[in-house]
Amino acid sequence: MKKIISVMIAAVLLCVCAAAMADMNIVALSGPTAMGMVQMMNEAEEGGSLEERGYSFTIASAVDEVSPMIVQGTTDIAAVPANLASVLYNKTEGGVQVLAVNTLGVLYIVENGESVQSVEDLRGRTIYASGKGATPEYALNYILSSNGIDPEKDVTIEWKSEHAECLSTILAEENGVAMLPQPFVTTAQTKSEAIRVALDLTAEWDALQADVENPSALITGVVIARKAFVEENPDAVKAFMEDYKASVEFVNSSNDEAAALVGKYGIVPEAVAQKALPACNIVFIEGGEMQEKLEGYLSVLLEQNATSVGGKLPEADFYYAQ
């Protein structure tokens, strides 16, 4: 009898271990949304403690590469822009769950001068930016309008196709102003000492939310998973969450080592990563706090442009809970 029980226990443990080490295809967009994963990537690749997890990582250069992978089921977990997670949820009719917020706001107002000290100082100015029809536009409009500035009447927003075009434009203008994301802000500052960070739009967003009962947050990226994969591999997903949280903690506490890994995986050069990482707002927010912040953020986008979130807000099953 004891032998039978021992065999049964061993079988259960074997099943648990197999589940925890299920093969897992993970893709992340190059940039801040991928930076929090670099310690995981290195441990899985270099024979570290995660080597047997079955993790397989891919760094994608564009959103258009990631969406088909999720829809077609060729990847299991992905680090993507927050609004894309909502779009994919609606497109797949609930086939996607968000596991955690992994990047807060990375947008900054930068200036070739000293004239902008507050949001009000943007009134009457020309702001150069890229990202029209996407999160940067909606975030900027929200912050301007919430500070009493009409984005269509009180400022001129000139949309460029690339961040580099914004930079070259403001470098040619005294007191030129642009909205740029990290780590490109750091890249810009390496090219010209005249570029100054005037406003942190994440801080401006937080200030607007200070007295709100259920405050939202300016969110850049989240980690999502195919719902079917989560349901079929609950232990593997739980292990992934623990590993990812540890990786984010490493990245935020070990700047030099993390920057070296960011450079190793070609996300941005190591020298840029050393300066940019503290301003990239890499986080790991899960559970109820994740839902509160993300739901509020998506609601702001919905009010401005419903298509930015896939036409409607996701239902409660969008938010992963262990």
Side-chain angles (χ1 to χ4, degrees):
M1 184 67 178
K2 289 182 178 179
K3 184 176 181 181
I4 293 174
I5 292 174
S6 297
V7 171
M8 290 175 65
I9 292 173
V12 170
L13 290 174
L14 181 61
C15 289
V16 170
C17 290
M21 293 187 290
D23 288 341
M24 190 179 298
N25 294 316
I26 304 163
V27 63
L29 277 175
S30 183
T33 55
M35 290 178 178
M37 288 186 175
V38 292
Q39 192 253 8
M40 287 180 71
M41 294 166 64
N42 192 60
E43 286 287 310
E45 178 185 331
E46 299 294 335
S49 60
L50 306 185
E51 184 179 18
E52 296 182 357
R53 289 286 205 224
Y55 297 149
S56 176
F57 291 92
T58 300
I59 302 294
S61 59
V63 170
D64 291 347
E65 297 177 42
V66 182
S67 296
M69 295 179 183
I70 290 291
V71 174
Q72 296 167 14
T74 57
T75 196
D76 306 306
I77 290 178
V80 299
N83 70 304
L84 179 61
S86 179
V87 170
L88 288 172
Y89 172 88
N90 286 314
K91 186 174 184 178
T92 60
E93 298 182 344
V96 165
Q97 279 191 310
V98 60
L99 303 180
V101 171
N102 72 349
T103 319
L104 295 177
V106 296
L107 294 171
Y108 294 81
I109 296 295
V110 300
E111 182 187 14
N112 179 16
E114 298 284 342
S115 64
V116 176
Q117 304 296 328
S118 68
V119 175
E120 178 59 30
D121 292 333
L122 295 174
R123 189 183 296 273
R125 303 292 295 273
T126 296
I127 304 169
Y128 300 99
S130 61
K132 183 173 176 57
T135 298
E137 179 181 11
Y138 309 134
L140 180 59
N141 285 348
Y142 172 70
I143 288 169
L144 289 173
S145 59
S146 297
N147 280 276
I149 299 174
D150 187 327
E152 295 184 358
K153 297 178 180 179
D154 298 330
V155 296
T156 300
I157 304 174
E158 288 199 14
W159 296 101
K160 305 294 185 181
S161 59
E162 297 180 352
H163 305 321
E165 192 177 357
C166 297
L167 175 60
S168 61
T169 302
I170 66 169
L171 285 176
E173 292 185 12
E174 185 177 357
N175 296 322
V177 176
M179 178 176 66
L180 296 174
Q182 284 286 10
F184 192 82
V185 171
T186 298
T187 300
Q189 290 178 318
T190 64
K191 295 181 178 180
S192 173
E193 294 181 356
I195 298 300
R196 179 184 70 89
V197 173
L199 300 172
D200 176 349
L201 295 193
T202 301
E204 297 299 332
W205 186 295
D206 290 345
L208 293 170
Q209 295 289 311
D211 297 323
V212 176
E213 184 177 349
N214 297 308
S216 66
L218 177 53
I219 297 173
T220 296
V222 298
V223 183
I224 61 173
R226 291 188 297 107
K227 190 174 182 180
F229 182 82
V230 174
E231 292 174 344
E232 293 165 7
N233 303 279
D235 293 315
V237 173
K238 183 177 180 180
F240 167 84
M241 294 286 281
E242 293 171 354
D243 295 337
Y244 192 23
K245 183 177 182 179
S247 183
V248 169
E249 290 172 352
F250 169 84
V251 168
N252 285 328
S253 63
S254 306
N255 190 79
D256 290 346
E257 295 91 332
L261 294 177
V262 169
K264 172 184 175 180
Y265 291 106
I267 299 171
V268 295
E270 179 180 350
V272 172
Q274 282 183 327
K275 295 180 179 180
L277 274 172
C280 284
N281 288 324
I282 296 168
V283 296
F284 185 89
I285 302 173
E286 57 184 326
E289 184 182 2
M290 166 190 70
Q291 181 170 351
E292 179 182 275
K293 291 182 181 298
L294 182 54
E295 201 166 50
Y297 172 69
L298 295 175
S299 295
V300 170
L301 298 191
L302 179 69
E303 290 178 6
Q304 295 194 40
N305 187 336
T307 60
S308 69
V309 297
K312 60 181 180 180
L313 292 179
E315 300 293 332
D317 66 339
F318 176 57
Y319 300 96
Y320 169 77
Q322 294 189 34

